[in-house]
Amino acid sequence: MSLTVTNLHGGYGAVAVLHGIGFTVAPGEVLCLMGRNGAGKSTTLKAIMGLVRATSGEIRLDATRLDTLPAHDVPRAGVAWVPQGRRLFAELTVAENLEIGLLTRQSPPEVRERALELFPRLRERLTQASGTLSGGEQQMLAIARALCTEPRVLLLDEPTEGLQPSMIALIHDTVVRLKATGVATVLVEQRVDAALTVADRIAFVDRGRIAATLPAAGLDRSAAEFREWVGV
Amino acid sequence: MDLGPFLFLATLEGLVSAAVLALTAVGLGLVFGVMRVVNVAHGEFFMLGAVVAWAVTNLMPGAPALGFVAALALSPLAAALVAIAADRAILRRLDYAPEAVIVATIGLGYILQQGALSLYGPEARAVAAPFSFRIQFPWFGYSGYKLAVIVFAALVLTGVWALLTRTKIGLVMRATQWDRETATAFGIDTDRVYALVFGLGAGLAATAAVLVAPISQAHYLMGGDPLLLSFAVVIIGGLGSLRGTVIAALLIGLTDGIVGVFFAPTLGKILATLLVALVLVFRPQGLFGRKTA
């Protein structure tokens, strides 16, 4: 399924953050949103999830309008969100966090098994409160919980933030494996290397709109776009 | 009577108070824990439970036990339905803003109280107990009904614990309690969860009132004390902690019962209030609560 965001405006109350942002992500494609802090990357993901109300514009999952659905129906339509900072249900166990994911679309237990195959370490922690996991394990759980919803579109908001290199590699490997299954992925990333490693295209976000979209293959870390739109 | 039997009697009285208080306070604590709002109308849902119990037991023909069982089913249901309607009509429109909900539930409580005065009247009315037998201890006889209240309250509290920890709806409630926005992002209709929790909280208060009505009668002003004591229990136990709420209810109920029997009922309330003040000063998150950032 393709996700298409068209001319989206929105924000928090009277504070407008998105000023006509638009992009399309195809099945099996990884689109990376890059930009400075406050550019509107995370707000875009929240708007897709219905957690920030769009004031105008459209969000479509194939033909289905997402922006007119109640927020709790967006994940049921097949969009999963891995929020910045993980936002696990910290008092709930690992198994209970995964169960919440399964309940989203009434998925069978095999879906959880597939998610655990990606992150076997979580299997040893099923009865542990998720708030007591290490940072890397928490990120694994945040992704596994999202995968338990059987998403066709995955929104990843800075999934490697604060992680050690081995864990970053694992997360990247997971994104690539999911891409092979046909999941359309929108990745918010601040690190140029990470973006170049996993993304097919990079969309530079500036003041709530897309300033430029380029194929990742045509870029290297010294490209002027990174200096101009990301500030690195 | 010797000191030992006297203490035993006081403890039994304290356990009855604690059982009723625990049910009421768990309802208040559940609403705060999940919805992060303070329901000032909680005492009036308690009153509503007792008043509806009086109405049901009087309307129901046949044995008193039959009427009481019907009241035990219908009163919490009635209170829950009123609470759910209030949630939809008022709290949801306020977007559960904590300060606005306090003011709104003060108004809601007043409406319920004056509604009861208009429809039910100012009299305190007796609700027939479902059975009346005395359990004879070597030193005194004691109401079998009061002991049944303790057992029934314990069963209901166990049921609430099981609901929260052993069922899917409990899991959904705990996820919503922890992070409403993320819960929504996992397909949870948190508006419905809030309505359910608000109804459940009111239903628990009403259940407590039905149990206590044969002991203390039903009256339109009876909601004040349960509300204040529930706040005391929830503050001492720790907001959002079921275990803390039950333990604090035992502490306050037993203190109230024992001190009330040995000294004066007012002294028990003074000690409870003092305990609240000490907890607020030295451990504001409550004995079993967690510090919030």
Side-chain angles (χ1 to χ4, degrees):
Chain A
M1 282 178 160
S2 294
L3 176 75
T4 306
V5 177
T6 310
N7 195 26
L8 194 68
H9 291 74
Y12 303 92
V15 182
V17 179
L18 306 179
H19 300 280
I21 196 163
F23 54 81
T24 298
V25 200
E29 185 185 28
V30 179
L31 175 74
C32 182
L33 300 182
M34 297 195 81
R36 291 186 169 84
N37 285 337
K41 307 178 298 293
S42 295
T43 305
T44 302
L45 300 196
K46 284 181 128 187
I48 294 168
M49 294 307 296
L51 302 172
V52 169
R53 271 293 144 207
T55 50
S56 67
E58 276 188 13
I59 305 165
R60 285 184 186 272
L61 186 63
D62 281 351
T64 309
R65 281 280 293 267
L66 296 183
D67 54 292
T68 54
L69 294 177
H72 62 266
D73 279 340
V74 174
R76 293 176 187 171
V79 184
W81 179 50
V82 179
Q84 188 175 20
R86 295 131 201 168
R87 291 178 64 172
L88 298 172
F89 302 112
E91 280 214 334
L92 272 54
T93 64
V94 170
E96 287 173 330
N97 271 275
L98 297 173
E99 178 75 15
I100 290 287
L102 291 179
L103 288 174
T104 307
R105 300 177 77 189
Q106 306 298 324
S107 304
E110 301 87 81
V111 174
R112 185 184 92 150
E113 290 309 304
R114 285 204 296 272
L116 288 173
E117 280 166 19
L118 288 171
F119 305 112
R121 202 191 298 182
L122 291 178
R123 206 183 287 281
E124 303 156 19
R125 305 267 190 275
L126 286 174
T127 56
Q128 194 173 324
S130 61
T132 63
L133 298 176
S134 71
E137 289 168 342
Q138 288 194 12
Q139 192 61 62
M140 290 181 205
L141 177 57
I143 296 173
R145 181 181 62 174
L147 295 180
C148 281
T149 70
E150 297 184 272
R152 303 316 304 154
V153 173
L154 183 62
L155 312 178
L156 293 163
D157 198 347
E158 301 205 29
T160 58
E161 189 182 29
L163 299 185
Q164 60 189 23
S166 63
M167 202 55 69
I168 291 171
L170 176 65
I171 302 293
H172 287 168
D173 183 49
T174 305
V175 172
V176 172
R177 288 170 76 169
L178 291 172
K179 175 180 152 74
T181 65
V183 173
T185 304
V186 181
L187 170 71
V188 169
E189 185 56 79
Q190 294 280 38
R191 295 149 38 84
V192 174
D193 288 341
L196 292 173
T197 305
V198 295
D200 295 299
R201 287 183 298 139
I202 297 179
F204 296 97
V205 183
D206 182 50
R207 283 169 281 184
R209 63 173 72 88
I210 300 293
T213 304
L214 297 166
L219 292 168
D220 64 48
R221 60 169 296 111
S222 61
E225 285 81 3
F226 291 119
R227 279 197 303 280
E228 185 172 358
W229 307 116
V230 189
V232 292
Chain B
M1 202 187 300
D2 291 336
L3 180 65
F6 203 43
L7 186 63
F8 180 50
L9 173 64
T11 304
L12 286 176
E13 287 294 302
L15 281 175
V16 175
S17 303
V20 174
L21 188 52
L23 276 182
T24 316
V26 162
L28 185 73
L30 201 59
V31 167
F32 181 83
V34 176
M35 300 168 69
R36 304 286 161 191
V37 295
V38 176
N39 176 18
V40 184
H42 195 66
E44 304 316 327
F45 285 119
F46 180 92
M47 176 275 295
L48 190 63
V51 166
V52 173
W54 175 84
V56 171
T57 50
N58 275 274
L59 288 172
M60 189 71 112
L66 205 61
F68 190 82
V69 170
L72 210 45
L74 294 177
S75 288
L77 187 65
L81 289 176
V82 171
I84 289 170
D87 172 76
R88 299 216 157 190
I90 305 168
L91 305 193
R92 193 179 295 182
R93 287 164 196 254
L94 297 171
D95 201 23
Y96 304 97
E99 297 84 359
V101 167
I102 289 175
V103 177
T105 52
I106 289 173
L108 174 64
Y110 192 69
I111 291 169
L112 291 175
Q113 192 187 82
Q114 294 307 307
L117 174 62
S118 304
L119 297 170
Y120 171 84
E123 300 86 7
R125 300 175 204 241
V127 173
F131 49 83
S132 54
F133 65 86
R134 293 182 77 74
I135 294 179
Q136 196 57 47
F137 294 108
W139 318 280
F140 55 82
Y142 195 72
S143 160
Y145 175 72
K146 285 187 175 179
L147 291 178
V149 166
I150 298 171
V151 172
F152 189 79
L155 286 175
V156 173
L157 288 170
T158 307
V160 172
W161 172 81
L163 176 81
L164 286 173
T165 59
R166 297 281 184 270
T167 67
K168 282 183 182 170
I169 183 66
L171 179 64
V172 162
M173 282 161 65
R174 285 185 291 138
T176 305
Q177 169 175 2
W178 188 260
D179 185 340
R180 187 184 182 191
E181 188 175 72
T182 305
T184 304
F186 281 87
I188 296 172
D189 184 348
T190 54
D191 282 343
R192 284 178 74 176
V193 174
Y194 275 22
L196 178 73
V197 167
F198 204 62
L200 182 61
L204 285 169
T207 305
V210 177
L211 293 177
V212 85
I215 301 169
S216 69
Q217 300 191 321
H219 186 257
Y220 84 104
L221 288 177
M222 70 191 293
D225 269 6
L227 176 69
L228 284 178
L229 286 173
S230 293
F231 272 127
V233 163
V234 170
I235 289 168
I236 292 169
L239 283 163
S241 164
L242 183 65
R243 182 178 58 142
T245 303
V246 172
I247 290 172
L250 278 170
L251 191 67
I252 298 241
L254 284 172
T255 306
D256 200 33
I258 293 171
V259 174
V261 168
F262 277 97
F263 301 99
T266 316
L267 186 59
K269 304 263 185 313
I270 291 172
L271 286 175
T273 314
L274 184 66
L275 195 55
V276 170
L278 289 172
V279 166
L280 282 175
V281 170
F282 295 106
R283 201 176 157 80
Q285 74 272 31
L287 297 180
F288 296 88
R290 263 166 284 100
K291 272 188 179 168
T292 51

